[in-house]
Amino acid sequence: MLKKFKQWFSNEEIDEFSQIIHSKNLAKRSRLAKETVQLSDGSFLKVSIGSVLDIPDILEIETLCYNGKAPWNKKALEQEIKHNTNAIYLIVRESNKAVGFVSAWLVEEETHITNVAVIPNYQKRGIATFLITELQKISQYEGMNKISLEVRVSNGKAQRLYNRLGFQNGKIKKDYYTGDREDALEMSKFL
């Protein structure tokens, strides 16, 4: 059987396949369950695993979602995507326009969501739900048993979304956010 398998692929393809399977880089070895998402209005958007090429799009989404201020700058995103082997970014696009993303770290059997953002014109259409659900599938495949995040205590809309997806409220982290020092609510869900 192995002989037939080798005949199907060139040596170069086998080497590439082997590198992907044994990669310590989460983003390189991860595969999406779906590459498209159907929105509540019936339209379809594309989803992909983020790379360095997506940094300008991520910054634009953050700027549109966070009152003109991106919480992660270009240098931090480059460090994350290039060097953090436990980080993953999922990006949703309509045509070539990035409209939302989720980012997370998968460490010691726990996925920690670092950001979820969907530009205002695309909110309430199922994109954030899809991104978190897709991240959960990757997390389960990777052997994670919990998914967690922090959310601003004032962000009731996001908290309601996370509760609908099965997240439970945890403790309050005082003065968590840089700048305005707003408190954060920990939320988590067992997978």
Side-chain angles (χ1 to χ4, degrees):
M1 182 66 175
L2 183 59
K3 188 176 184 180
K4 283 187 178 183
F5 181 75
K6 286 183 178 180
Q7 290 172 348
W8 290 341
F9 297 100
S10 70
N11 284 341
E12 186 177 296
E13 288 169 326
I14 290 172
D15 289 344
E16 182 180 327
F17 181 72
S18 178
Q19 287 174 356
I20 290 170
I21 288 175
H22 296 95
S23 176
K24 290 183 179 181
N25 188 313
L26 174 66
K28 288 183 180 175
R29 73 173 180 265
S30 294
R31 297 290 174 258
L32 298 166
K34 292 183 177 182
E35 293 185 1
T36 58
V37 55
Q38 185 174 12
L39 300 182
S40 54
D41 65 5
S43 62
F44 286 89
L45 303 182
K46 292 184 179 184
V47 62
S48 62
I49 294 174
S51 72
V52 173
L53 299 175
D54 296 307
I55 291 173
D57 292 331
I58 293 167
L59 289 169
E60 182 177 347
I61 292 167
E62 286 185 333
T63 301
L64 291 169
C65 292
Y66 300 111
N67 300 320
K69 297 176 182 173
W72 292 59
N73 62 35
K74 181 181 178 185
K75 188 172 182 168
L77 289 170
E78 283 177 357
Q79 179 67 26
E80 242 336 75
I81 292 172
K82 284 182 180 179
H83 303 292
N84 185 346
T85 59
N86 297 314
I88 190 163
Y89 285 72
L90 304 180
I91 315 287
V92 172
R93 288 186 169 72
E94 181 174 53
S95 298
N96 291 326
K97 179 183 173 71
V99 298
F101 77 94
V102 64
S103 57
W105 299 339
L106 282 70
V107 180
E108 297 180 8
E109 299 181 1
E110 182 174 338
T111 297
H112 185 76
I113 296 174
T114 57
N115 202 343
V116 180
V118 176
I119 62 174
N121 291 345
Y122 285 80
Q123 291 177 2
K124 296 185 180 181
R125 295 172 68 188
I127 295 171
T129 298
F130 171 79
L131 286 167
I132 294 168
T133 302
E134 194 66 25
L135 179 62
Q136 287 178 176
K137 291 175 186 174
I138 290 169
S139 298
Q140 288 172 318
Y141 181 80
E142 290 292 324
M144 304 295 113
N145 59 32
K146 183 179 180 183
I147 189 165
S148 64
L149 55 87
E150 288 91 17
V151 60
R152 289 180 176 273
V153 293
S154 64
N155 193 345
K157 185 169 81 171
Q159 291 174 39
R160 286 188 294 280
L161 168 67
Y162 302 140
N163 285 142
R164 277 196 311 275
L165 292 172
F167 285 79
Q168 301 297 313
N169 293 357
K171 67 180 180 179
I172 301 289
K173 291 184 171 182
K174 294 288 185 191
D175 303 326
Y176 182 79
Y177 290 97
T178 307
D180 64 4
R181 301 182 56 93
E182 183 175 349
D183 296 345
L185 171 64
E186 282 186 342
M187 299 184 79
S188 63
K189 172 183 177 178
F190 287 100
L191 300 174

